[in-house]
Amino acid sequence: MCFSNYNHICSKFLKINNMKKHVLVKALFFSMLCSAQVGVSTGSVGMIKSNGLNSRNEMGELNDRMIVVEDFMNYHKHHISVPVYDKVQLSMDYSNSIFGNNEFLLQVGLATQERKERKAGENNVNATIVLDRSGSMSSENKLNTAKKAIKKFVEGLSDEDYFSLVCFDDEAQVYIPATVVGKNRTNIYSTIENITDGGSTNLNDGMMLGYNETEKHNTKGYNSRLIILTDGMTNSGETDQEKILLNSKNYNDKGIEISTVGVGNSLDFDLLKKLAENGRGSNHFVGSNEEDIQKVFVSELQSLLFQVGKNPEVTIELPEGMEIKEFYGYNPIFIASNKVKVNIENLNAGTTQIFLMKVKSNTTNEKIKATLKYQNNGVQETNILTQYSSQNPSTNSELSKNYQIAYMATQLKVAAQEYQKNNMGNYNTTIREILNYIDAQGNTKDTDINRLYSIFSKLKPVASSSYSLIN
């Protein structure tokens, strides 16, 4: 999969004339693409990899909602069927060898068609970056990190794409009005480089001014998106989260998406995640890890250039006599104990994602149905109907690994809940149990398993007598 995307991405997104520089950038992109999936939210993974449980919101608190299970589940590309002729394909796999007691693991997979050549006039981009330049962004080199990432994003835009830049501290200001990139590319780079840090953080005003610029070219044939990059410490202007979310949704309803990029270890992850969810965009985190810095902006660019469908929802329906005992990650809407619906972020080309659940079966009626609906020149629908068999041990060799990642991420969330409540005994027990579980599986050499294992290994047992939530 990495090899198939490599030449296309490098040739289309990196128009660099200097051959030596071109080779270096290609090498960077190749290593990045082979280590992490592009086109889906990974904010929780990046933040926890960088900060561990030292990630705080603006109130100085750890929040278990900062750990998003599906971000961990979908960080890597999955071994599921990828469509050749259709834009989207569903798959269904199951394993009877993980649980026992008439319980089995069900996996519904969703894959989108690989990226194709971008034709002239196709998937034009109308993007606005809203950059936090408040005083808090000056610490830990966050502002410089953000500026480098934005310039990398602009490198991938074509001359015909629209770009605008808004910066904010306690006030918001348009640095680059919505304009065709074309001859303005050099001036755009110069403007980005000259941004300096300022005062407090008025995210709402920055966001609203950014939406105003995006709306100027929110027309047919253009994928319009606002991308906010901030440390999320909203302390000036409108600070009521519900009002900020409502202000954003008014523009989302006009077809403008929003993605969020968090920087640093004190961001308001809840607000950024909710903004992205409401706008059906992606939520990212940019720490000190160079891989994540590059990945997030290539991901955003590719999702704009190669969008498959908007407002997707997946419905999974089991026959009478089957019951969903546990659904891993996401925000599932249970229509019944055997039927669930999940609203997910907009579909981008070349991505895979999975939906995992533990199912209890007390029936011989074993037909399971999954349906995907999304918007692309009208409402599109894709269905898959699978005959489950209790006699078949497993239909996909990757199921065990996917379950382990989902289980570990879920337990990480449990550990965070105990950590937040200052229940250090329960926290320590959870950490030890999950480390023992991973060791017992014997597959820590697997890159995707090791990603979580390394996180748990750094979460040292804490003595309750010396523990302080804000340290």
Side-chain angles (χ1 to χ4, degrees):
M1 200 66 68
C2 295
F3 286 92
S4 64
N5 291 334
Y6 162 64
N7 285 325
H8 174 66
I9 293 171
C10 293
S11 62
K12 287 297 173 186
F13 297 148
L14 301 175
K15 299 178 179 178
I16 301 172
N17 293 325
N18 185 291
M19 185 58 68
K20 291 183 179 180
K21 184 178 180 182
H22 187 57
V23 171
L24 288 174
V25 175
K26 275 190 173 186
L28 170 64
F29 268 64
F30 179 72
S31 63
M32 178 197 66
L33 286 170
C34 290
S35 60
Q37 183 172 197
V38 170
V40 294
S41 290
T42 58
S44 183
V45 181
M47 184 181 65
I48 300 300
K49 279 172 62 180
S50 178
N51 302 330
L53 295 187
N54 290 318
S55 301
R56 315 263 183 222
N57 62 18
E58 79 284 3
M59 300 301 292
E61 299 170 340
L62 173 77
N63 190 326
D64 67 280
R65 292 189 297 276
M66 295 176 183
I67 297 168
V68 183
V69 174
E70 63 267 26
D71 283 10
F72 288 88
M73 290 165 52
N74 294 318
Y75 193 81
H76 66 284
K77 276 210 168 186
H78 299 286
H79 299 160
I80 57 178
S81 299
V82 176
V84 177
Y85 301 106
D86 298 324
K87 290 187 175 182
V88 185
Q89 184 170 329
L90 292 176
S91 61
M92 199 177 294
D93 288 290
Y94 55 87
S95 173
N96 292 299
S97 59
I98 295 176
F99 303 122
N101 297 320
N102 294 324
E103 293 181 339
F104 65 94
L105 180 74
L106 176 65
Q107 172 181 291
V108 174
L110 190 163
T112 55
Q113 193 177 58
E114 289 300 319
R115 301 168 186 92
K116 298 180 178 180
E117 293 291 326
R118 184 190 183 194
K119 299 176 182 178
E122 182 181 61
N123 287 328
N124 290 321
V125 173
N126 173 32
T128 300
I129 303 275
V130 177
L131 174 64
D132 182 349
R133 70 174 196 92
S134 63
S136 59
M137 285 288 289
S138 64
S139 65
E140 302 173 350
N141 205 36
K142 288 184 284 189
L143 185 59
N144 286 332
T145 296
K147 286 157 61 174
K148 290 178 182 178
I150 294 171
K151 285 194 284 187
K152 185 65 63 178
F153 177 87
V154 175
E155 283 183 15
L157 294 174
S158 73
D159 290 345
E160 296 76 26
D161 293 329
Y162 284 100
F163 177 79
S164 51
L165 175 66
V166 170
C167 294
F168 67 92
D169 51 359
D170 51 308
E171 295 182 348
Q173 180 181 350
V174 178
Y175 274 54
I176 302 173
T179 183
V180 173
V181 174
K183 296 182 294 184
N184 299 304
R185 196 179 295 270
T186 301
N187 291 335
I188 290 173
Y189 293 149
S190 177
T191 301
I192 294 170
E193 187 59 38
N194 290 329
I195 297 171
T196 58
D197 61 276
S200 53
T201 307
N202 190 339
L203 184 146
N204 183 73
D205 280 6
M207 179 185 73
M208 297 302 287
L209 199 54
Y211 273 129
N212 288 339
E213 291 300 311
T214 314
E215 191 175 24
K216 292 178 181 178
H217 301 285
N218 182 33
T219 57
K220 186 177 181 180
Y222 279 85
N223 290 329
S224 297
R225 182 173 302 171
L226 184 79
I227 304 171
I228 294 182
L229 198 154
T230 178
D231 61 3
M233 299 177 67
T234 308
N235 53 26
S236 180
E238 182 60 75
T239 59
D240 186 302
Q241 281 200 12
E242 294 307 315
K243 291 182 179 178
I244 295 173
L245 291 169
L246 181 60
N247 288 339
S248 180
K249 188 176 185 304
N250 289 334
Y251 285 92
N252 301 152
D253 291 343
K254 297 178 182 180
I256 301 175
E257 303 169 9
I258 179 172
S259 288
T260 57
V261 184
V263 186
N265 67 355
S266 299
L267 58 90
D268 188 349
F269 189 82
D270 263 356
L271 176 59
L272 299 183
K273 180 67 175 174
K274 289 175 182 176
L275 283 169
E277 284 179 348
N278 290 350
R280 295 296 186 107
S282 298
N283 171 243
H284 308 278
F285 174 84
V286 180
S288 58
N289 187 296
E290 187 70 20
E291 172 191 328
D292 291 321
I293 294 170
Q294 300 298 333
K295 177 185 184 296
V296 64
F297 278 89
V298 173
S299 177
E300 281 301 301
L301 181 58
Q302 290 194 23
S303 64
L304 280 165
L305 294 177
F306 302 102
Q307 190 170 88
V308 172
K310 294 187 176 184
N311 303 321
E313 62 178 46
V314 174
T315 303
I316 302 163
E317 185 173 5
L318 310 178
E320 292 293 332
M322 285 189 184
E323 178 184 0
I324 300 171
K325 303 297 291 184
E326 185 168 3
F327 196 99
Y328 296 95
Y330 300 94
N331 294 305
I333 302 169
F334 279 86
I335 301 168
S337 62
N338 65 330
K339 187 176 182 179
V340 65
K341 183 176 78 171
V342 185
N343 295 319
I344 57 177
E345 64 188 73
N346 289 336
L347 301 174
N348 306 312
T351 62
T352 64
Q353 54 187 306
I354 57 171
F355 309 89
L356 286 176
M357 65 214 78
K358 180 193 288 188
V359 177
K360 180 80 171 181
S361 178
N362 290 303
T363 180
T364 56
N365 178 10
E366 299 179 326
K367 289 187 177 179
I368 303 172
K369 181 180 180 181
T371 302
L372 168 69
K373 290 184 179 180
Y374 62 96
Q375 294 178 4
N376 185 329
N377 297 320
V379 177
Q380 308 294 322
E381 183 172 311
T382 300
N383 296 294
I384 185 171
L385 185 66
T386 294
Q387 179 74 36
Y388 163 74
S389 172
S390 58
Q391 304 303 311
N392 191 345
S394 180
T395 61
N396 187 322
S397 61
E398 194 189 41
L399 285 177
S400 179
K401 180 177 88 169
N402 291 343
Y403 167 71
Q404 289 174 42
I405 291 172
Y407 173 73
M408 288 187 288
T410 301
Q411 292 304 107
L412 180 60
K413 196 175 184 73
V414 170
Q417 291 169 346
E418 301 299 341
Y419 186 93
Q420 184 179 359
K421 296 173 184 176
N422 201 11
N423 293 335
M424 290 302 102
N426 293 340
Y427 165 79
N428 292 338
T429 298
T430 302
I431 296 301
R432 291 192 185 99
E433 285 180 350
I434 197 64
L435 286 172
N436 290 337
Y437 169 81
I438 301 171
D439 287 334
Q441 302 304 310
N443 58 350
T444 55
K445 292 184 178 180
D446 181 280
T447 301
D448 302 313
I449 296 291
N450 186 262
R451 187 179 300 113
L452 266 170
Y453 184 77
S454 63
I455 291 173
F456 274 99
S457 298
K458 295 174 184 176
L459 301 180
K460 309 285 186 185
V462 181
S464 58
S465 59
S466 63
Y467 172 73
S468 173
L469 183 60
I470 305 175
N471 47 27

